């Protein structure tokens, strides 16, 4: 039996390196300043692999870290840093807003010995996005390394690691790029690689080891892969990068921005007591819009009612402590489309009308659908 997804010739080192070059171009690293070159590694696993690899590569008992928490991933990074023996100061802000550069500056001034900062660009789980360019300038002025989780933001909004002073940048393709989840990328500045090489605790001979990849792949001239690559995932990554390039970054990012604006507009016109979870539109991520349900309504039950009519809609209840009060509308990749947003808002409205919504607040699905279309057109 033959199958086009199974009967494949092995991926060559040259093909693998070619995909790396496309990722570097996506991040603007093919034209990074010569004085601060970046090298990237496509790791054969979901993005938690390079995220943990970066933290365990740079952190140790002598590390003093500022861990910025604007959602659940920031909490995870703090756990990893403490497990490495680092001294960790958490800067936590409410999940319905974004951190500011001024808050970061104040935290660094309070603890001048901080030498590592971890930050999530866009938190798909909570629907906020952080001003990385401004924060990067503050962190670089302080002299610390900046690690950025850009898994949710890449492709949906501008991402320029070299320009913004990001030393360790991790991306995945499964959201705005509409690609596979089984491969991910860590891009490191020269300063970051130096920190890894000086850290006696950095993983070696390990699946978490970025240094193994650097020694056996980058420094060796990219002539032989360290181990068998995830063939299908690498081909899918190559294909999604080609598709992104063909559509054009500006158009892809515009679709995501319009989807976020249209979702907020539709919900505002819907009524029933449901409101955007992230208060200010400027702090809202373009990959997902989170919503706060009215008091007395269970988010999980409302989502279940909405999905009863169409189980393919990209709706989900919040996770953890937010499971009862938050709904997430995922509008990334091919889901960043007007018809998807309109269907999600309408389904939520119909479910909300069935539950009664907030007392004295009627549900108006036609008005919400009209607001979605108007906002989508106005954003073009």
């Amino acid at each position: 039996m033959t199958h086009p997804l199974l009967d494949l010739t092995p991926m060559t080192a040259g093909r693998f390196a070619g995909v790396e070059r496309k990722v570097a171009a996506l991040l603007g690293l093919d034209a990074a300043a010569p004085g601060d070159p970046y090298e990237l590694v496509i790791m054969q696993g979901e993005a938690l692999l390079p995220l943990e690899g970066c933290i365990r590569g740079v952190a140790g008992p002598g590390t003093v870290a500022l861990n910025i928490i604007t959602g659940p991933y920031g909490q995870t990074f703090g756990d990893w840093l403490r497990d490495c023996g680092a001294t960790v100061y958490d800067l936590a802000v409410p999940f319905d807003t974004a951190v500011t550069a001024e808050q970061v500056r104040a935290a660094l001034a309070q603890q001048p010995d901080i030498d590592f900062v971890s930050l999530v660009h866009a938190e798909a789980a909570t629907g906020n996005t952080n001003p990385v360019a401004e924060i990067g300038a503050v962190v670089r002025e302080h002299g610390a390394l900046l690690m950025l989780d850009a898994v949710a933001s890449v492709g949906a909004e501008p991402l320029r690691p070299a320009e913004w002073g990001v030393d360790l940048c991790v991306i995945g393709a499964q959201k705005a790029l509409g690609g596979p989840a089984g491969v991910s990328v860590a891009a490191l500045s020269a300063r970051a690689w130096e920190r890894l090489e000086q850290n006696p605790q950095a993983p070696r001979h390990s699946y978490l080891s970025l240094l193994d990849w650097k020694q056996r792949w980058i420094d060796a001239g990219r002539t032989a892969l360290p181990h068998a690559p995830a063939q299908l995932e690498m081909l899918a990554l190559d294909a999604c990068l080609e598709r992104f390039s063909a559509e054009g970054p500006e158009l892809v990012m515009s679709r995501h921005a319009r989807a976020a604006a249209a979702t907020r507009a539709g919900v505002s016109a819907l009524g029933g007591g449901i409101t955007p979870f992230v208060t200010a539109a400027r702090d809202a991520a373009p990959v997902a819009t989170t919503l706060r349900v009215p008091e007395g309504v269970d988010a999980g039950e409302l989502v279940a009612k909405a999905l009863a009519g169409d189980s393919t809609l990209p709706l989900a209840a919040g996770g953890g402590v937010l499971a009862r009060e938050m709904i997430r509308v995922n509008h990334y990749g091919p889901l960043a489309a007007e018809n998807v947003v309109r269907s999600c808002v309408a389904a939520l409205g119909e479910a909300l009308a069935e539950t009664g919504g907030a007392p004295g607040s009627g549900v108006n699905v036609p008005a919400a659908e009209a607001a979605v279309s108007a906002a989508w057109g106005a954003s073009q």
Side-chain angles (χ1 to χ4, degrees):
M1 178 179 179
T2 61
H3 193 284
L5 297 181
L6 297 177
D7 301 312
L8 300 170
T9 57
M11 174 165 282
T12 65
R15 179 73 183 274
F16 193 100
V19 179
E20 280 188 340
R21 288 192 293 272
K22 292 178 183 179
V23 177
L26 170 73
L27 299 177
L29 299 180
D30 53 338
D36 192 12
Y38 283 69
E39 295 284 3
L40 60 83
V41 173
I42 302 179
M43 301 194 77
Q44 308 299 287
E46 199 272 338
L48 282 174
L49 174 65
L51 286 168
E52 184 173 359
C54 283
I55 286 179
R56 296 195 183 277
V58 301
T63 302
V64 183
L66 176 66
N67 182 48
I68 301 170
I69 302 176
T70 59
Y73 283 102
Q75 294 171 325
T76 298
F77 299 161
D79 293 339
W80 286 338
L81 286 162
R82 291 181 176 90
D83 190 55
C84 292
T87 300
V88 182
Y89 297 96
D90 289 327
L91 172 56
V93 302
F95 289 176
D96 58 0
T97 187
V99 71
T100 67
E102 291 71 24
Q103 289 173 310
V104 175
R105 187 186 300 278
L108 294 174
Q110 191 171 2
Q111 302 294 339
D113 52 348
I114 288 171
D115 58 13
F116 179 79
V117 178
S118 51
L119 173 69
V120 177
H121 191 178
E123 286 270 12
T126 48
N128 53 33
T129 191
N130 294 301
V132 181
E134 299 170 20
I135 293 170
V138 171
V139 174
R140 181 56 67 94
E141 179 184 339
H142 183 80
L145 291 181
L146 175 61
M147 186 190 89
L148 183 69
D149 172 353
V151 175
S153 61
V154 62
E157 55 186 303
L159 175 62
R160 312 299 289 183
E163 292 179 19
W164 296 350
V166 176
D167 294 289
L168 304 98
C169 182
V170 174
I171 67 168
Q174 67 266 36
K175 295 194 182 296
L177 296 176
V183 288
S184 47
V185 181
L188 279 70
S189 71
R191 294 197 324 146
W193 284 116
E194 183 179 1
R195 179 76 69 89
L196 264 74
E197 290 166 351
Q198 293 174 350
N199 181 12
Q201 287 196 182
R204 296 306 305 265
H205 313 295
S206 162
Y207 208 58
L208 286 170
S209 178
L210 290 164
L211 286 174
D212 287 355
W213 271 97
K214 187 174 188 301
Q215 178 184 352
R216 298 176 59 189
W217 172 245
I218 297 172
D219 294 346
R222 294 181 169 87
T223 56
L225 290 161
H227 55 73
Q231 172 99 318
L232 292 177
E233 286 79 1
M234 286 296 297
L235 294 175
L237 176 60
D238 195 13
C240 86
L241 292 170
E242 288 290 338
R243 183 173 63 183
F244 180 80
S245 177
E247 183 176 354
E250 290 185 2
L251 286 179
V252 177
M253 293 181 195
S254 174
R255 279 197 296 110
H256 285 83
R258 280 185 282 164
T263 304
R264 292 177 72 89
V267 167
S268 296
L270 182 63
I274 193 168
T275 58
F277 186 85
V278 177
T279 307
R282 68 176 181 276
D283 296 335
V287 289
T289 298
T290 48
L291 308 172
R292 193 185 301 276
V293 299
E295 188 175 353
V297 174
D298 184 278
E301 294 177 3
L302 189 64
V303 168
K305 289 181 185 294
L307 293 178
D310 184 354
S311 61
T312 67
L313 293 176
L315 297 170
V321 297
L322 300 173
R324 295 180 63 86
E325 63 180 286
M326 177 195 283
I327 291 174
R328 188 173 71 248
V329 182
N330 295 317
H331 40 69
Y332 50 72
L335 301 175
E338 181 182 356
N339 65 310
V340 174
V341 172
R342 188 187 304 110
S343 296
C344 287
V345 172
L348 287 173
E350 291 163 4
L352 197 58
E354 186 179 337
T355 64
S361 179
V363 176
N364 191 334
V365 172
E369 291 179 315
V372 168
S373 296
W376 191 276
S379 302
Q380 290 184 350

